Amino acid sequence: MGVRLIVALFLLMLFAACAQPQEEQKKPASPVEYGRALFADPSLGTTGKSCITCHPDPSALSGVGDRYNPEAYFNMAKREMTLKEVINFCIEVPMKGKPLPENDERLLALEAYLRSL
Ligand code: HEC
């Protein structure tokens, strides 16, 4: 084995060892914390808007978890919806984004956050 290969392998291992804790640091503490971050994340849509653009005072959404349980009439969609469907409606229609799959961890986190309000 050439010295350069050994050095390269060593650097690779060092990089892998360093990369690990950084990944963990980025990982949110809980679904609620992750949901709080996503609430301000414009990358869920394509209009540059995030949830917080239109819902600047999240405490105004307090109680939505109980109301959409399991479903309630949602004015904007003109039909009964679950809380997950309301979240996806806001992602798809006003934010022009792609609705999240039923068990997507971002959807679960946003739901957990709204239920915590
Ligand atoms: C461009 C504006 C806009 C954006 C962005 C937006 N919403 Fe909405 N949202 C509305 C409007 C308008 C309503 C209906 C009126 C209301 O209840 O405030 C609504 C209603 C809701 C409701 C139901 C409130 C209720 O009392 O029935 C929830 C929950 C909600 N939005 C969550 C979200 C989440 C989560 C996001 C981000 C993924 C988001 N919204 C992004 C405009 C927006």
Side-chain angles (χ1 to χ4, degrees), residues 25 30 35 42 50 54 60 85 90 95-96 100 104:
Q25 265 175 13
S30 68
S50 69
C54 300
E85 287 173 323
C90 274
M95 291 170 77
K96 297 193 179 10
L100 301 170
D104 190 290

Side-chain angles (χ1 to χ4, degrees), residues 50-51 54-55 61 64 67-68 74 76 86 90-91 94-95:
S50 69
C51 311
C54 300
H55 303 286
L61 293 173
V64 285
R67 199 137 61 78
Y68 294 91
F74 182 44
M76 271 213 293
V86 171
C90 274
I91 290 177
M95 291 170 77

Side-chain angles (χ1 to χ4, degrees), residues 68 71-82 85-86 89-90 93:
Y68 294 91
E71 295 188 320
Y73 188 81
F74 182 44
N75 260 327
M76 271 213 293
K78 299 191 166 51
R79 68 173 180 92
E80 302 240 313
M81 283 188 161
T82 63
E85 287 173 323
V86 171
F89 183 92
C90 274
V93 181

Side-chain angles (χ1 to χ4, degrees), residues 89-111:
F89 183 92
C90 274
I91 290 177
E92 197 174 5
V93 181
M95 291 170 77
K96 297 193 179 10
K98 264 179 72 176
L100 301 170
E102 176 81 14
N103 284 316
D104 190 290
E105 65 170 4
R106 289 166 297 173
L107 184 57
L108 298 174
L110 279 167
E111 186 187 29

